[in-house]
Amino acid sequence: FGKNPEVDTSFLPDREREEEEARLRKELQQEWLRDQERVKKEPLQITYSYWDGRGTRKQITVQKGWTIEQFLREVQKEFKELSRLSTGSLMYVKEDLIIPHNYTFYDLIITQARGKSGPLFSFDVHDDVRLVNDVTVEKHESHAGKVVDRKWYERNQHVFPASRWETYDPNKEYGAYTIKGKG
């Protein structure tokens, strides 16, 4: 008996083929990482309100890769009354969820994160979906995130809207949404 050259041996270990596959994987990984870094540097326009019971709406342009803390640092420059506070004493509330400072806007966008009343990854603003629509039917509409002094929140957490707010947990399901026109 001899070796049959017509038998498919592609499933057997082959050092050269494995080294080539490893090199190709590494190249693709580096290309993907470069692409992600490029996306994180893209500008993102965010509409927000400084919430002290009233709500003063403004817009700011940040990078998608910025953390909530970096965003809050920029917001502080817009309001004289916030400039005296530390960034740690400010909160960013989006769709009734308090977003921890270590999250980036990119994290929320890439995971298509959902809040109680809409998407956490959409930063443009439409009418308050809770007032004009069925809250369970999402239409890619969201409302402005709120920048809040933590002391204000602690004094008013028993009053609407602060009574609805809770800390964002990416592992928690905040309700079933169906996008209008789909399913």
Side-chain angles (χ1 to χ4, degrees):
F1 292 123
K3 292 183 180 179
N4 182 350
E6 310 228 347
V7 172
D8 179 21
T9 60
S10 63
F11 64 92
L12 295 174
D14 180 354
R15 183 178 304 184
E16 289 176 14
R17 186 175 62 234
E18 289 172 1
E19 287 172 355
E20 178 63 24
E21 285 177 2
R23 185 190 61 72
L24 182 58
R25 260 193 223 107
K26 187 170 182 149
E27 282 179 19
L28 290 172
Q29 180 185 25
Q30 289 171 346
E31 180 182 337
W32 184 82
L33 290 172
R34 281 191 302 272
D35 286 346
Q36 298 312 302
E37 287 305 313
R38 181 187 47 76
V39 168
K40 288 178 183 180
K41 290 180 180 169
E42 290 177 357
L44 177 66
Q45 180 116 16
I46 297 181
T47 303
Y48 68 94
S49 294
Y50 166 49
W51 192 259
D52 57 358
R54 293 186 307 273
T56 306
R57 188 172 283 186
K58 288 198 171 205
Q59 287 188 329
I60 191 169
T61 301
V62 300
Q63 292 180 9
K64 288 181 181 178
W66 277 21
T67 63
I68 299 301
E69 183 175 10
Q70 289 172 303
F71 161 71
L72 291 172
R73 204 171 291 131
E74 287 299 307
V75 168
Q76 280 182 300
K77 297 173 185 175
E78 300 289 320
F79 294 94
K80 187 175 148 184
E81 55 270 32
L82 295 180
S83 63
R84 63 179 168 72
L85 301 173
S86 72
T87 310
S89 63
L90 294 176
M91 300 176 2
Y92 179 60
V93 181
K94 178 81 171 133
E95 306 304 334
D96 293 328
L97 295 177
I98 301 165
I99 311 296
H101 289 194
N102 62 312
Y103 280 91
T104 65
F105 293 102
Y106 176 80
D107 295 335
L108 300 174
I109 293 167
I110 200 77
T111 60
Q112 299 282 290
R114 302 249 169 241
K116 291 181 177 182
S117 57
L120 295 177
F121 58 88
S122 179
F123 301 99
D124 54 345
V125 175
H126 304 278
D127 291 330
D128 189 335
V129 293
R130 293 173 296 187
L131 299 178
V132 296
N133 296 314
D134 178 359
V135 73
T136 62
V137 178
E138 183 179 324
K139 293 171 41 180
H140 291 294
E141 296 178 352
S142 64
H143 29 329
K146 296 170 182 65
V147 174
V148 181
D149 179 350
R150 190 174 301 276
K151 287 182 182 176
W152 181 92
Y153 170 70
E154 289 168 358
R155 283 191 314 267
N156 294 284
Q157 60 187 342
H158 63 285
V159 179
F160 183 83
S163 61
R164 288 188 40 86
W165 300 348
E166 65 181 89
T167 303
Y168 171 64
D169 177 359
N171 299 318
K172 183 174 178 183
E173 181 68 39
Y174 290 100
Y177 287 93
T178 55
I179 297 175
K180 186 173 183 176
K182 293 184 181 179

